[in-house]
Amino acid sequence: MIGSNKSELVLNERMDLFRSIPFLLIHLVGLIGPFYVGFSWIAFSTAVLLYFVRMFFVTGFIHRYFSHKTFEIILWPRFTQWMMAFLSTMVVQKGVVWWASHHRQHHAHSDDSEDVHSNYLRGFFWSHVGWIMCPKYHQIDESKSRDWMGVPEIMWLEKGIHHMIGPVFLAIFCAWFGWYIGDLWNTNALQMLVWAFFTSTVALYHGTFLINSAAHMFGKKRYETGDYSRNSLILAIITLGEGWHNNHHYNQHRAAQAVTPLEYCFDWTYWGLKVMDFLGIIRIKKV
């Protein structure tokens, strides 16, 4: 609830830069690498494409399915569910159960002293990225993910570094793709790897993180939700619809985060899910 005392913050919330070296290296390569490997329209276009495709994995699969179960899978349920989880590891944000468990904690305690990434209590940097580098939050919060703990094939992706199989596969594919089309499109393996994997991933990170930070600072409130969540057109465009964050906090079990006709125009994740519903892959729940 808004107004919780900042002195109630839980202990041991400190960033560990050493254990965050892989995360920091992705930023280093993604931000500086393009200056060394040069620019090509095909590498840039592939980076943009992978940003939006993987953003859909974040919003449609990790968020609206694994975190909130706003739809059910009706085509080969166990296999399709696992494929969603595996493809979602390619966003390089650990496993879907880790992501969902901390997100559910956020909803249960939004902007109070137990919120994982409260902008109100810890400021923009912590809510945006600092908490991710805090060892306290490297593990799954089992109290918030009991529904997934009994699904062995999903939990397999959470063990050890299994969640890195997808990202490694994607990185190799990007390098191969750059090599394969290199002569025809004026690119190469290294350039495509840097732009399409590393730079795209850095952009994806911060597009995702803006919902934790900026969506609790900027925009308009339609509903009184007991927290600082806001609706923002700019964030909706960046995140395929997640910017209608106040709507989402008001009713987190709706597949659509849009409410008005204008908002539906920019809830592209919802329309992607509608296509999957039409094809008989999923069934969106009526809430």
Side-chain angles (χ1 to χ4, degrees), residues 173-186:
F173 175 82
C174 288
W176 171 84
F177 182 61
W179 168 80
Y180 184 74
I181 66 169
D183 292 338
L184 183 63
W185 289 92
N186 192 32

Side-chain angles (χ1 to χ4, degrees), residues 144-175:
K144 293 292 187 292
S145 53
R146 299 192 190 283
D147 53 335
W148 294 118
M149 301 298 288
V151 186
E153 66 270 22
I154 297 296
M155 294 308 300
W156 182 84
L157 290 169
E158 305 289 335
K159 294 180 180 179
I161 59 172
H162 291 179
H163 64 275
M164 289 304 300
I165 296 173
V168 169
F169 174 83
L170 179 61
I172 292 172
F173 175 82
C174 288

